[in-house]
């Protein structure tokens, strides 16, 4: 069996090239593949076979095939009809490219269908199932010019793919319930209970979707946009039969489940009647057949789903009959279309006389469809009526529906014949039809003849199909043309007579443009999802950063808030303050923060944020950490100055105020985040159980670090590696700032040479240079620098240190710059910032390396007591040298920022531009 | 004070990480000393060679199962496998980044800091060759990812997170076209990413508060044995998860994804979609499976809700997208949801199926973005979907390949998409997470719709004048596309080889 599939795959691959090379005749060669499958099936009549090849053992997927009666029948149909349709295609309209495409796809489709009906592993079945969806999509979509075709293809693909996914879940559930995906094993012990029911309902959803049963029926008529031979194959013999096949496959195991009965028999019969009624309103012959197909599929699903022995035989017979007559009729429509250029029964008249051969074939097929003796359809219908004539209420109700359906079937069969071949008064007869050649006639004639032959061969057919019904319980029936004067015969006569009446009544009706319920649901579902998506996108994906951040923050508040509220280990002891002054600082921080948020001017916001920082430094002082406080205050100052330099380029006020509504929720969110973060910090600080590592620092900093300022010793000794990392980052950042501001080094160089724009301060204050300020700053400058050096050197034991000292020196430079602009700055620090930075880093690294060279650890501190005459004893720790490096780097950083941010980059860009343009012009002229 | 001993490091085990870091540093040096003209070739060669060398070493380490560097790194089955995956996917991404034939100078801007819209900017956009720094930057990111999936304590993990995130922020800003969009993307990614990192760090602090250590083994022990109120631990895990889920683009931390995917240069988007996902999920797996596996009863419902939301919202929002990169972004979000299902399936099968999914998805998404780079007009890539109408008629080959990839995303059989989805769903079923599977299938149904819509549009619409042409790809893009498509097919038809690998690798060491 695997060989068959491989052959189909290979043929599908070479078919397009073959047809392109030798034209339509190549299709005959291509048809050999499905024909081979049919022959193979014919040779295996009454036999079973299995074949298993491992595929993905890790997932329990194997290429397991088995042949039994059911799959045998389907292989015969798929192969036989497939071969005929391919041969028909050789004569059907279409350019060579299209034929080539169809050839490949049709063979691939035939192969996939074979795989589907032969698969024993349900997962493998699913694989083929989805492949048929994709391939059918490609086949339906082969007429891309039309919007209708596009939508139809989309709809067919969506409905069947989605149904398939539901089916996959069902299959997986079956597998999880029983531990195997092999149907041959599953059928022995199908899972019972709710689990099994849910699984089988899901599988049924897939099957019903594929066979266009209500409520999924809408896609099949829409798919009629496909070329007629494709419809003949997919929508009569092959794809739609997949769902019927699955129902038949599962029926022996699940027919006893109530939900199964409701879904198959109930939905099937409803489909039978509604689609039958719809077929009576069509004027496009193909659509008429399409609705007829939907109706018949409903019947098949209902019969096979019923799961009794008699119904099973009737069902299989009908499957065979339906495939034969429906594909014959579709191919007839193709021939009619080919001959006259229309499929509209309102325009066709008198064709029967012109194309007698075709008319006879179509009549035979339609008669089989109507269930008239002595055709195969009659056999099936007789058996069907017999199977349900048990007298039980449920069966009787089903029987009534079936008779009704059969009546409608007769009605639309007659409508079809009359529409295609009848002579209608008032319609100009088709005079010169483009008569179809033998190639186009062969297939419908053969298929119709097979229907007739089947009707006459009741016994052989019954014996071939028998093993399947025997798997089911109940009384059997026999296929026969003559059962005697029985109820079924009476019902058949009733249906035929009633059908004629229906035909006469509805003959001149044409369809109203009402959309069917299924189509409505489909449209609404699509629209609903679309709408939901648009709304959700509009609500959540505005591209607004605050919005995005809000989402993340909300999650934080929810999580943290829940944890805090539900019962975080709150500290039992709660001390309000050590000194009321802390409360003052706290209030100041809050006030400054609120002010900063409310500020409309950028500068005010920055200054207020800085004020909050000063208040924090006050808290540090109150906690007894003057060193931290000093550093904090200095950083705030430097930060404000830098901010001012940047703000010069921005508008004075914040550009956009958020709307009131959004402002409110922003406030709520901000406050909540603040509370959550504070709560977490509070809880965690109270939750500490281990001894803080810093407790030993106090002793260590004196004994090893040689200093009594713990903060400083931590920075330059205990955590010297951290500091080393940080100052490296600082140097990198300084370099980055400079190079970002002056995109090119050349610009940087030029900037250093050209005189700075005067009145840097004036650029944003609008005031002229203040001479007094210049003088004052010059006066105090040296004092401040001296103070900074004092801070640096004394930092080891007293508040201060390299960082604080560096900041003080940098602020001194900043003041000079603010007072007199770049010239003053250059005069105060006639060095390149890069040199300062580099020297600082070199000193810091040198200290570490020096310690190592002298036999210590990297960055180990040595304490040296030097006696300097006159000054007295100098107590020096080598880490102070490291601190010098820090000092220089801080100074260099600020210098760098002042020089880059303080300059005006905008003119430099235009300058450069004009210059390069000139160069360009020179090049051009040269 | 006792002497500190230098930690012993299994250099062979960490060699891939070292190679990549070394090559990245070398790349910086190359930038400084190699003449501008030769730089691109040298950098690209260096990056490819380094990735390849890393891959070779990873393969030789296939059976290594150790923790090293004082337990900071665990080179075990998942780590080696995921490192290999990252390197392979990165190799393909580098091919995309190296392409210079589609656009003069490549997909990257020559000077990122030039004011957008200025004359200098327009001039450089037209002809100047792109930045070659992207290669060392990418190498840093790759190295960070390698470290991330091997990190065995939370601090190392955090450092690795930053090491690979920062280069990504940069890379996002370097698109040659649509500079403002690119810069905005980078800024958003950076700011939101910083928040996520901060949450991660906050989480580390809380976990440390409970456990008193940051290594995953201690967390595991403490979670199992401590009789203290574990709320602190839960809060810590929640915050850690925010940091990790942000990188995986799970709902509700996904908001950045579409904007960033759209704004970033397409090769970078491909790199992020493939490699970042592997890295982020690798770390998430390790945190959940090693550190917190004792709490799986507690976190599974919550993460399950996240997974369901991720799948559904990703799928639903994908429906309405009109830009191909945004569509792929939402698809990537939904796929993060499916991956989460695999993660929550727990056990060896969950782990193995998740790892398989990561690799399979990585290849497909690389191929998808490779196609996106090809479909272009005078203004660069033609992102709007309406412009793709009729592409099947213009360029059947490319449209065919893209159709195949889309079918793989939709989970159609004989593509890797089917196998990987099936594997995670089956694992989740086995792990008793039926509800996740149901949500997964429902979202797959919705998600199939936008993919199929693109397919229909490409093949069934008539090409208009606005239909862009497909540029002839250079060798590099061709190779990337071919690898992506071939692997998608191979993993769909014969996935056994990779499944064996993932199953064999599916065990963490502690």
């Amino acid at each position: 069996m695997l060989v068959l599939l491989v052959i189909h795959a290979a043929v599908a691959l070479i078919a397009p090239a073959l047809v392109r090379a030798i034209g339509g005749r190549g299709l005959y060669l291509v048809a050999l593949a499905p024909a081979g499958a049919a022959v193979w099936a014919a040779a295996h009549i009454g036999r079973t076979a299995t074949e298993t090849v491992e595929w993905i053992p890790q997932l329990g997927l194997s290429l397991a095939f088995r042949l039994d009666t059911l799959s045998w029948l389907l292989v015969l149909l798929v192969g036989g009809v497939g071969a005929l349709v391919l041969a028909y295609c050789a004569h059907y309209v279409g350019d060579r490219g299209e034929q080539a495409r169809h050839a490949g796809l049709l063979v691939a489709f035939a192969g996939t269908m074979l795989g589907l009906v032969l698969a024993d592993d349900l997962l493998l079945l699913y694989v083929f199932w989805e492949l048929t969806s994709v391939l059918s999509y490609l086949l339906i979509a082969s007429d891309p010019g039309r919007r209708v075709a596009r939508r139809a293809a989309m709809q067919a693909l969506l409905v069947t793919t989605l149904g398939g996914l539901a089916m996959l879940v069902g299959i997986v559930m079956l597998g999880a319930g029983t531990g195997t995906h092999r149907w041959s094993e599953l059928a022995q012990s199908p899972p019972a209970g709710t689990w099994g029911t849910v699984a089988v309902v899901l599988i049924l959803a897939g099957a019903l979707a594929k066979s266009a049963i209500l409520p999924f029926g809408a896609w099949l008529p829409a798919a009629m946009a496909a070329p007629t031979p494709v419809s003949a194959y997919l929508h009569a013999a092959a794809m739609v039969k997949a769902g019927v096949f699955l129902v038949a496959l599962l029926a022996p195991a699940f027919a006893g489940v109530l939900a199964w009965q409701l879904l198959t028999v109930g939905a099937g019969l409803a489909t039978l009647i509604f689609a039958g009624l719809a077929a009576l309103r069509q004027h496009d012959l193909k659509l008429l057949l399409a609705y007829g197909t939907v109706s018949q599929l409903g019947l098949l699903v209902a019969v096979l789903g019923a799961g009794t022995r008699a119904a099973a035989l009737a069902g299989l017979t009908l499957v065979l009959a339906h495939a034969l007559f429906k594909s014959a009729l579709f191919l007839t429509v193709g021939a009619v279309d080919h001959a006259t250029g229309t499929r509209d029964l309102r325009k066709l008249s008198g064709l029967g006389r012109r194309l007698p051969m075709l008319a006879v074939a179509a009549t035979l097929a339609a008669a089989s469809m109507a269930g008239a003796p002595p055709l195969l359809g009659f056999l099936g219908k007789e058996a069907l009526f017999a199977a349900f004539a048990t007298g039980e209420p449920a069966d009787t109700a089903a029987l009534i529906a079936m008779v009704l359906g059969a009546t409608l079937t007769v009605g639309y069969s007659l409508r079809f014949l009359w529409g295609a071949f009848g002579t209608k008064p008032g319609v100009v007869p088709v005079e010169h039809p483009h008569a179809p050649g033998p190639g186009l006639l062969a297939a419908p004639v053969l298929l119709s003849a097979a229907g007739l032959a089947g009707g006459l061969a009741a016994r052989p057919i019954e014996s071939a199909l028998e093993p399947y019904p025997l798997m089911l319980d109940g009384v059997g029936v026999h296929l026969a043309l003559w059962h005697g004067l029985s109820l079924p015969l009476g019902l058949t006569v009733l249906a035929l007579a009633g059908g004629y009446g229906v035909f006469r009544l509805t003959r001149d009706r044409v369809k109203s443009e009402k959309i069917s319920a299924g189509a409505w649901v489909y449209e609404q579902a699509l629209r609903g999802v679309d709408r939901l998506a648009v709304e959700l996108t509009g609500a959540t994906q505005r591209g607004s950063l605050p919005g995005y951040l809000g989402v993340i923050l909300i999650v934080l508040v929810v999580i943290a808030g829940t944890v805090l509220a539900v019962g975080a280990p709150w500290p039992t002891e709660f001390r309000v303050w050590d000194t009321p002054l802390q409360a003052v600082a706290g209030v100041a921080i809050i006030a400054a923060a609120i002010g900063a948020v409310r500020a409309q001017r950028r500068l005010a916001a920055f200054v207020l944020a800085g004020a909050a920082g000063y208040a924090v430094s006050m808290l540090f002082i109150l906690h007894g950490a003057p060193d931290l406080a000093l550093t904090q205050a200095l950083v705030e100052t430097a930060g404000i100055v830098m901010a001012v330099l940047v703000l010069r380029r921005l508008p004075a006020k914040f550009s956009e105020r958020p709307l009131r509504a959004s402002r409110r929720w922003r406030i709520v969110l901000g406050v909540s985040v603040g509370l959550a973060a504070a709560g977490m910090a509070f809880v965690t600080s109270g939750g500490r159980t281990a001894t803080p590592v810093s407790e030993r620092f106090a002793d260590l900093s004196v004994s090893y670090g040689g200093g009594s300022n713990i903060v400083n010793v931590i920075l330059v000794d205990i955590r010297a590696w951290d500091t080393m990392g940080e100052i490296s980052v600082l140097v990198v950042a300084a370099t980055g700032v400079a190079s970002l501001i002056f995109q090119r080094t050349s610009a940087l160089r030029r900037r250093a040479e050209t005189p700075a724009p005067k009145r840097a301060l004036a650029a944003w204050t609008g005031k002229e240079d203040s001479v007094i300020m210049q003088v004052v700053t010059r006066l105090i400058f040296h004092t401040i620098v001296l103070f900074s050096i004092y801070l640096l050197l004394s930092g080891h034991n007293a508040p201060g240190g390299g960082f604080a000292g560096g900041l003080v020196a940098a602020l001194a430079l900043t003041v000079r710059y603010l007072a007199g602009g770049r010239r003053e700055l250059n005069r105060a620090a006639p060095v390149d910032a890069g040199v300062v930075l580099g020297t600082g880093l070199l000193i810091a690294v040198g200290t570490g390396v020096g310690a190592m060279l002298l036999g210590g650890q990297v960055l180990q501190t040595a304490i040296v007591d030097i006696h300097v005459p006159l000054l007295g004893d100098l107590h020096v720790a080598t880490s102070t040298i490291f601190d010098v490096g820090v000092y220089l780097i801080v100074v260099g950083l600020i210098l760098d920022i002042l020089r880059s941010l303080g300059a005006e980059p905008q003119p430099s860009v235009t300058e450069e531009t004009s210059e390069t343009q000139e160069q360009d012009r020179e090049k051009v002229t040269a | 004070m006792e002497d500190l001993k230098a930690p012993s490091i299994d250099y062979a085990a960490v060699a891939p990480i070292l190679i990549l870091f070394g090559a990245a540093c070398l790349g910086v040096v190359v930038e400084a000393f190699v003449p501008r003209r030769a730089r691109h070739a040298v950098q690209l060669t260096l990056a490819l060679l380094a990735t390849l060398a890393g891959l070779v070493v990873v393969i030789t380490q296939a059976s290594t199962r150790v923790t090293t560097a004082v337990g900071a790194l665990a080179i075990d089955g998942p780590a080696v496998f995921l490192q290999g995956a990252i390197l392979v996917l990165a190799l393909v991404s580098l091919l995309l980044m190296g392409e210079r034939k589609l656009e003069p100078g490549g997909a990257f801007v020559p000077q990122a800091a030039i004011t957008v819209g200025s004359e200098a900017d327009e001039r450089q956009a037209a002809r100047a060759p792109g930045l070659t720094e992207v290669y060392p930057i990418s190498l840093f990111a790759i190295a960070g990812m390698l470290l991330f999936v091997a990190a065995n304590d939370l601090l190392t993990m955090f450092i690795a997170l930053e090491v690979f995130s920062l280069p990504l922020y940069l890379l996002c800003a370097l698109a040659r076209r649509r500079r403002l969009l690119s810069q905005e993307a980078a800024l958003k990614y950076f700011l939101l990413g910083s928040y996520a990192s901060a949450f991660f760090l906050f989480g580390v602090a809380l976990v440390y508060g409970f456990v008193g250590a940051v290594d995953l083994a201690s967390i595991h022990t403490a979670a199992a044995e401590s009789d203290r109120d574990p709320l602190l631990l839960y809060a810590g895990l929640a915050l850690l998860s925010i940091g990790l889920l942000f990188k995986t683009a799970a709902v509700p931390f996904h908001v950045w994804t579409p904007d960033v995917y759209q704004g970033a240069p397409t090769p970078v988007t491909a790199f992020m979609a493939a490699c970042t996902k592997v890295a982020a999920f690798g770390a998430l797996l390790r945190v959940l499976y090693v550190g917190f596996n004792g709490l799986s009863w507690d976190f599974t419902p919550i993460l399950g809700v996240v997974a369901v939301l991720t799948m559904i919202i990703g799928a639903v929002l994908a429906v309405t997208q009109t830009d191909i990169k945004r569509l792929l972004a939402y698809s990537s979000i939904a796929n993060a949801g499916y991956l989460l299902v695999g993660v929550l399936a727990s056990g060896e099968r969950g782990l193995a199926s998740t790892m398989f999914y990561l690799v399979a998805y990585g290849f497909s998404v690389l191929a998808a973005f490779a196609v996106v780079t090809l479909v272009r007009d005078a203004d660069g890539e033609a992102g709007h979907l309406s412009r793709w109408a009729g592409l099947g008629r213009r360029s059947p080959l490319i449209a065919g390949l893209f159709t195949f990839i889309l079918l793989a995303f939709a989970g159609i059989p004989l593509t890797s998409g089917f196998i990987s989805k099936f594997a995670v769903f089956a694992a989740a079923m086995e792990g008793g997470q039926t509800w996740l599977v149901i949500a997964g299938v429902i979202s797959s149904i919705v998600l199939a719709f936008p993919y199929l819509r693109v397919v229909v549009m490409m093949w069934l619409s008539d090409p208009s004048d606005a239909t862009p042409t497909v540029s002839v790809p250079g060798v590099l893009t061709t190779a990337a596309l071919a690898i992506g498509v071939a692997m998608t097919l191979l993993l769909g038809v014969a996935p056994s080889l990779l499944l064996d690998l993932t199953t064999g690798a599916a065990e963490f060491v502690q």
Side-chain angles (χ1 to χ4, degrees), chain A residues 55-59 123 126-127 130-131 134 137 141 144 150 154 157-158 162 165 169 172-173 526 529-530 532-534 536-537 541 543 545 548-549 551-552 555-556 559 563 567-568 680 684 740 743 913 916-917 920, chain B residues 113 119 123 188 191-192 195 199 202 206 229 231 235 238-239 252-255 258-259 316-317 319-321 330 393 412-414 418-419 422-423 429 441 445 449 452-453 455-456 459-461 492-493 495-496 499-500:
Chain A
W55 181 26
I56 312 170
Q58 296 92 336
L59 295 176
L123 289 171
Y126 168 76
V127 168
E130 289 293 49
L131 286 181
V134 174
Y137 161 76
R150 197 155 70 225
M154 182 82 195
L157 184 58
L158 263 184
L162 306 193
L165 281 170
V169 180
V172 172
M173 282 177 76
L526 277 197
V529 171
D530 241 348
L532 178 67
V534 171
L536 260 180
T537 312
Q541 290 286 350
L545 194 56
Y548 293 175
L549 192 56
V551 174
I552 296 181
V555 176
L556 173 76
I559 292 178
V563 170
M680 292 281 246
T684 39
L740 271 180
Q743 294 123 9
T913 317
T916 0
Q917 272 172 343
D920 284 357
Chain B
E119 282 179 52
R123 216 168 37 243
K188 277 180 182 163
L191 284 178
L192 296 174
Y195 268 91
F199 287 152
F202 205 171
L206 292 190
D229 189 356
L231 265 169
L239 291 172
F253 316 105
H254 67 291
V255 275
D259 294 357
V316 168
L317 289 187
V319 170
T320 185
Q321 298 311 316
Y330 283 106
R393 321 234 100 194
I412 300 296
L414 297 193
F418 168 68
I419 303 288
F422 182 74
M429 282 296 254
V441 172
I445 291 174
F449 178 60
L452 300 182
R453 184 146 73 181
V455 173
V456 172
W459 292 101
L460 294 183
S461 301
V493 177
S496 289
L499 281 168
D500 276 340

Side-chain angles (χ1 to χ4, degrees), chain A residues 27 31-32 34-36 78-88 233:
Chain A
L27 281 160
L32 285 178
V78 168
V81 179
L84 287 174
V85 167
L86 275 167
Y88 182 90
Y233 192 41

Side-chain angles (χ1 to χ4, degrees), chain A residues 245-270:
Chain A
F245 163 78
L246 198 60
V247 169
L249 183 73
L250 300 185
F254 292 105
V257 179
L258 179 67
W260 167 277
Q261 288 284 344
L262 280 178
L263 274 174
T264 54
V265 182
L269 290 178

